Structures are given as C-alpha cells and as structure tokens.
Amino acid sequence: MGILQVLKTQLLCHLIICYVFLVSGFIINLLQICTLPLWPINKQLARKINCRLGYSISSQLVALLEWWSGTECTLYTAPESYKLYGKENAIVVLNHNFEIDFMTGWTFCERFGVLGSSKVLAKKELSFVPVIGWMWYFLEIVFCKRQWEEDRKTVVQSLRNLRDYPENFWFLLHCEGTRFTEKKHKISMEVAEKKGLPKLKYHLLPRTKGFCVTVQNLRGTVTAVYDSTLNFRNNEMPTLLGVLNGKKYHADLYVRRIPLDTIPEDESECAAWLHKLYQEKDEFQEHYRQTGRFPGAITSPPHRPWALLNWLFWVCLLVYPLCMLLLQLLLSGSTFTVVCTSVFCLAVSVGMRWMIGQTEIDKGSNYGRDQDKNTVI
Ligand SMILES: CCCCC/C=C\C/C=C\CCCCCCCC(=O)SCCNC(=O)CCNC(=O)[C@H](O)C(C)(C)COP(=O)(O)OP(=O)(O)OC[C@H]1O[C@@H](n2cnc3c(N)ncnc32)[C@H](O)[C@@H]1OP(=O)(O)O
Ligand SMILES: CCCCCCCCCCCCCCCCCC(=O)OC[C@@H](O)COP(=O)(O)O
C-alpha cells in the first residue's frame, strides 16, 4: 500500500474532509437563504444562482468519488443517444441497490454538465439532512412522504413548477421507492404474484404512481426517459465510508434513451409500460451477472476538472483558518477552552456520522417491508 493510500485511511484526513464539507455547506446554505428576496423579482436568475451554489456542494461528493477514491465510471450506451446527454431535459429511471448510487448518479450528471440542476423525487426525511437536504429546498427537489394520498397534490404542484426551469435538468426516479434488501424483495415479489406480474430477480416491484404522474406533468418539458441500470464490478457493495477511506470501485451504467412520446398517456397503460421496463432491466442485470458487462457500446465520458477545482478552493479557504484556530487554542493554555473545543469537535463528528448513516442500507426505512401497509419508519 502506497503512502497516499495509507494517508487516505487516516481519521485526521476524514475529519478535515468532513470539516470542509460541513463549513462550506453551511456557508452555501446561508448564501442560498440570501437569494430568497430575489425569487419574487427575478425567479429565473435566482434559480440559476442556486444551481451554481448547489453545484458547489454536490460536486464535493463527486470529487471525493472521482479524485479521492479514484472510482471509475463506465457508460454503456448507443452513440446516437450519447450526443444528446446533457442537451435535453430527461427523466432518469435508476435501480436502487447501492449506498453510493446517488454519488455515482451525480458523477454522471457532472460529466454531462447537469449536476447543479439535477432533480429527484426524494423521500421527505432527506429534506431535514443538514447541508444537502437544505440545499435541495432551493433546487426545487420534489419531496414525497411515500403515502400517495398525502403526496398527490404536492408532487404534482412541484413537478409543474419545473416546466419553465431555465437549465437542462435530469429528473431522477428510483421507482422501487426504497433500497433493495432480501426481505423487501421477498415481500415485493409476493405483491407481484398477487397482481399476476412476472417475478423480478434483481429489482423490487416498481411503484408506478410517481412515474406516471411525472411523465404526465413533464410531457412537453422533458424529451426522453433514460432507462439506467447501475452495477459495480466484482459484486462489490460500495459504501460512503469505503469511498472516504480511498477505496476504488468500478461503476458500470447502462443507459437506454427512450423518447417520451413513445410512453403511453393513459395511467394504467403507463403503469404496465413501467412494469415491462423493469422486466427488461432485470434481464440486463442477468446479462451483467453472466458476462460481467452490459449490452451496448462502451464510452467513458471524460472527467471535467471543475469538481476538483471547487473542492481545492474550499480546502484552501477553510483549512488555513482552522489550523490558526487550533494553534491559538493550544497556545492559550486554557484547559476549559481546550475541553470545550474537544466536545464541540466530538459533537460535529457524531453529526457527520449520523449524516453518513443516512446513506446506509442497514439503517434504512421499513418502507416496502409490509405488503398491506406502506409503513414508513
Ligand atoms: C444517469 C445517472 C443518474 C442521473 C442522476 C440524476 C439526478 C440525480 C439527482 C439527485 C441525486 C440524489 C439522489 C437522492 C436519492 C433519494 C431517493 C429517494 O429518496 S427514493 C424514495 C423516494 N422516492 C420514491 O419513492 C419514488 C418512487 N415511488 C413512487 O413513485 C411512488 O409511487 C410514490 C409517489 C412515492 C407513492 O408511493 P405509495 O407507496 O404511496 O403509492 P404507490 O401507489 O406507488 O404504491 C402502492 C401500490 O404498491 C403496492 N405495494 C404494496 N406493497 C408493496 C411492495 N412491498 N412492493 C411493491 N408494491 C407494493 C400496493 O399494492 C399498491 O398497489 P396498487 O396501486 O395496485 O393498489
Ligand atoms: C467531500 C464530502 C465528504 C463528506 C462526507 C460526509 C457526507 C455526508 C453526506 C450525507 C449525504 C446525505 C444525502 C443522502 C442521500 C442518500 C440517498 C438515499 O439513498 O436515500 C435513500 C432513499 O432513497 C431510500 O431510503 P430507504 O427507504 O431505503 O431507507
């Protein structure tokens, strides 16, 4: 193991990375609040500014994945579709199996220049996560409680608000609604059986309401659905802690571009279309399992330097004052101040660990563990 690799596993490095992320995140959240008076005056300008501010937060996680852990991202897709990525609005349908699938998704967004404006139908709980959840509020992310009767109105309204969005965006839908676990898979296949639907081996049964309502409300705004299937080489189950420790993974993403006008308008036909899509996704996963690759041509969308430059900017800005502060503390010789600072640092570390916990499947919700009730705990 090289010296750099050893360095990447050191707690001190992790603390510095988390410190930079948290402090820069709070500064950006504050700047986002400052844009509030601009919204009623020039909404499109406020949106564009927020896209850039949001980029400055999410690209730090992209830099962590691409530059710190060195994770490689390979794209399998048709060359004629590739030309359109980043140049149109699209709905992205992605499997939900991995703890870092959000970071991998963001990395592809970054490569095609839509990271700041990327959107998702996210569970409401994520809106309370400091930095990222607060940033999402300003990026007009669509939140749901995963209780359709309660969600219908707000989801439809939030989707309609996106119709005049001034930047190209990708709208991500994890139609399975929750991350894959063996228990959730078993229950969801019982539901499939009851509904007379074919069983899926690698996916949970998709929930159709969110997809249909998104297609309905973004018709005319979005031109295509990107059916995306993600896997990691060597059966790896990557984690955020692994990435933080500098572990290199290899992500393979298969994307099929499906023009939106080929998707049925009628709700039940649209639901049936989505079920068929997931049966095809299951076949792609089987193909990957058998051959170690997806069908389609391989392309590696080029790295862009902006995520790294943004990260280095924040490191330079925030690490020097931290060092000065710590030095002053040590020189002050006051036990009280040192104890208070240590307690504060410990509290921040616990807070960061809680945030990382939000990405862990073991600590995930109970949604989808019961076929009769949509229990969300
Ligand atoms: C190209 C690379 C990627 C680019 C990336 C682009 C952008 C990146 C942007 C951001 C990255 C950040 C990522 C953050 C990720 C966060 C993601 C999440 O938070 S996922 C969780 C929240 N999202 C969703 O749930 C979306 C999918 N869900 C839906 O759409 C749902 O329909 C809903 C709108 C949430 C409503 O759900 P609800 O459960 O209330 O209703 P449904 O009608 O859909 O479901 C009831 C239906 O399901 C049947 N049922 C019951 N139990 C089960 C079960 N266990 N499994 C399956 N089905 C079940 C039940 O019988 C009902 O059936 P029916 O309607 O026939 O009666
Ligand atoms: C350079 C930066 C380094 C900082 C290191 C620490 C960063 C901490 C970042 C916390 C990120 C919080 C955003 C989490 C997004 C997780 C998305 C996700 O995968 O949510 C799960 C839901 O979809 C489904 O939930 P379940 O029903 O499975 O339960």
Side-chain angles (χ1 to χ4, degrees), residues 152-187:
R152 185 196 298 270
K153 243 174 137 176
T154 48
V155 169
V156 167
Q157 191 49 54
S158 313
L159 287 167
R160 288 189 179 160
N161 290 344
L162 296 178
R163 285 178 178 169
D164 63 345
Y165 207 74
E167 307 258 321
N168 284 334
F169 66 86
W170 290 355
F171 187 89
L172 173 66
L173 272 172
H174 287 296
C175 296
E176 293 156 271
T178 189
R179 284 160 302 181
F180 187 101
T181 67
E182 287 307 332
K183 168 102 179 137
K184 290 183 183 183
H185 181 243
K186 185 172 167 286
I187 300 292

Side-chain angles (χ1 to χ4, degrees), residues 87-136:
K87 298 189 179 75
E88 61 181 355
N89 294 336
I91 298 169
V92 177
V93 173
L94 185 65
N95 54 316
H96 207 7
N97 300 60
F98 305 103
E99 294 187 356
I100 63 159
D101 50 22
F102 75 101
M103 283 169 91
T104 316
W106 269 345
T107 302
F108 282 100
C109 290
E110 161 59 8
R111 304 260 177 114
F112 291 101
V114 290
L115 178 59
S117 54
S118 63
K119 313 265 169 268
V120 61
L121 175 55
K123 60 175 182 180
K124 182 81 186 145
E125 296 85 326
L126 292 175
S127 68
F128 306 117
V129 175
V131 180
I132 300 240
W134 302 345
M135 156 189 96
W136 277 346

Side-chain angles (χ1 to χ4, degrees), residues 17-18 21 60-61 64 96 98-99 101-102 123 126 129 132 136 146 174 177-179 184 240 244 311 352 355-356 358-359 364-365 367:
I17 290 174
C18 289
F21 176 73
Q60 290 186 45
L61 284 150
L64 191 78
H96 207 7
F98 305 103
E99 294 187 356
D101 50 22
F102 75 101
K123 60 175 182 180
L126 292 175
V129 175
I132 300 240
W136 277 346
R146 295 185 284 187
H174 287 296
T178 189
R179 284 160 302 181
K184 290 183 183 183
L240 184 49
L244 207 52
W311 202 24
M352 278 315 288
M355 281 171 74
I356 293 170
Q358 296 304 300
T359 67
S365 72
Y367 180 78

Side-chain angles (χ1 to χ4, degrees), residues 38-276:
L38 187 60
W39 284 81
I41 303 164
N42 191 339
K43 184 175 166 188
Q44 299 300 52
L45 179 63
R47 284 170 147 178
K48 285 183 180 188
I49 294 174
N50 273 287
C51 280
R52 271 116 201 118
L53 291 173
Y55 176 88
S56 192
I57 295 179
S58 35
S59 69
Q60 290 186 45
L61 284 150
V62 170
L64 191 78
L65 189 75
E66 282 193 315
W67 299 93
W68 181 262
S69 85
T71 292
E72 281 181 43
C73 297
T74 302
L75 180 64
Y76 296 74
T77 198
E80 62 274 19
S81 305
Y82 184 94
K83 288 184 214 141
L84 295 168
Y85 298 156
K87 298 189 179 75
E88 61 181 355
N89 294 336
I91 298 169
V92 177
V93 173
L94 185 65
N95 54 316
H96 207 7
N97 300 60
F98 305 103
E99 294 187 356
I100 63 159
D101 50 22
F102 75 101
M103 283 169 91
T104 316
W106 269 345
T107 302
F108 282 100
C109 290
E110 161 59 8
R111 304 260 177 114
F112 291 101
V114 290
L115 178 59
S117 54
S118 63
K119 313 265 169 268
V120 61
L121 175 55
K123 60 175 182 180
K124 182 81 186 145
E125 296 85 326
L126 292 175
S127 68
F128 306 117
V129 175
V131 180
I132 300 240
W134 302 345
M135 156 189 96
W136 277 346
Y137 174 78
F138 294 92
L139 294 178
E140 297 167 78
I141 294 301
V142 182
F143 291 107
C144 62
K145 293 182 178 162
R146 295 185 284 187
Q147 308 276 356
W148 186 233
E149 286 319 314
E150 285 183 53
D151 285 333
R152 185 196 298 270
K153 243 174 137 176
T154 48
V155 169
V156 167
Q157 191 49 54
S158 313
L159 287 167
R160 288 189 179 160
N161 290 344
L162 296 178
R163 285 178 178 169
D164 63 345
Y165 207 74
E167 307 258 321
N168 284 334
F169 66 86
W170 290 355
F171 187 89
L172 173 66
L173 272 172
H174 287 296
C175 296
E176 293 156 271
T178 189
R179 284 160 302 181
F180 187 101
T181 67
E182 287 307 332
K183 168 102 179 137
K184 290 183 183 183
H185 181 243
K186 185 172 167 286
I187 300 292
S188 103
M189 287 310 105
E190 285 168 12
V191 176
E193 200 172 352
K194 277 192 190 156
K195 288 180 189 277
L197 290 162
K199 295 228 171 125
L200 301 170
K201 196 168 162 190
Y202 301 100
H203 297 86
L204 304 178
L205 192 67
R207 311 272 182 156
T208 58
K209 302 266 195 321
F211 177 76
C212 296
V213 93
T214 306
V215 169
Q216 257 170 30
N217 286 282
L218 294 184
R219 219 177 258 283
T221 305
V222 154
T223 36
V225 166
Y226 296 166
D227 166 33
S228 309
T229 311
L230 176 69
N231 229 324
F232 284 84
R233 295 214 181 145
N234 312 316
N235 288 325
E236 284 207 280
M237 291 301 280
T239 62
L240 184 49
L241 282 178
V243 173
L244 207 52
N245 276 295
K247 188 163 170 17
K248 178 180 176 149
Y249 299 104
H250 197 131
D252 283 322
L253 182 75
Y254 177 42
V255 182
R256 286 190 306 166
R257 182 183 179 277
I258 304 168
L260 200 82
D261 50 24
T262 62
I263 299 170
E265 288 190 26
D266 172 75
E267 197 175 324
S268 56
E269 284 178 32
C270 181
W273 185 92
L274 186 70
H275 283 303
K276 183 155 175 295

